[in-house]
Amino acid sequence: MSEDSDTDTDLSTVLSVLDDEYAREILTHTSVEPMSASTLSDRCDASLPTIYRRLDRLEECRLVTEETELAPDGNHYSIYSANLDRLELSLEDGSFDLEVSYNEEDVADKFTRMWEGMR
């Protein structure tokens, strides 16, 4: 269900991303339900370019995931979900250690959601 941090998760990068108010709001909103960038723009009271910049940074740290939804008119759009389960920062023997646990969705559940989105 969770995965410990790997070499791609850099302490200063994650802390820098989480220091941003919009990034924290995006995580908060998408932890409840997946949302489009447009919806996040409304909920966070931020411009779309601001939201997309924060989403890019959050995706780089694997803190959000992006999926494609199919609209009834045949067009498609991206929705974003928080992927952060737990973040633990510890100080031991003179160094910081960052442990990040991610939400890992079952592959069968992911396929079912994708299939239902195409109907």
Side-chain angles (χ1 to χ4, degrees), residues 76-114:
H76 61 277
Y77 61 97
S78 293
I79 59 166
Y80 301 88
S81 300
N83 192 40
L84 176 63
D85 181 46
R86 189 188 68 201
L87 182 106
E88 183 178 318
L89 181 63
S90 58
L91 176 61
E92 188 174 323
D93 296 326
S95 66
F96 285 102
D97 183 47
L98 178 68
E99 184 177 321
V100 181
S101 297
Y102 302 97
N103 295 322
E104 299 297 335
E105 184 175 27
D106 180 77
V107 175
D109 291 340
K110 193 171 190 173
F111 180 76
T112 300
R113 271 192 321 108
M114 184 180 71

Side-chain angles (χ1 to χ4, degrees), residues 3 23 56 65 84:
E3 179 179 322
D56 286 344
T65 58
L84 176 63

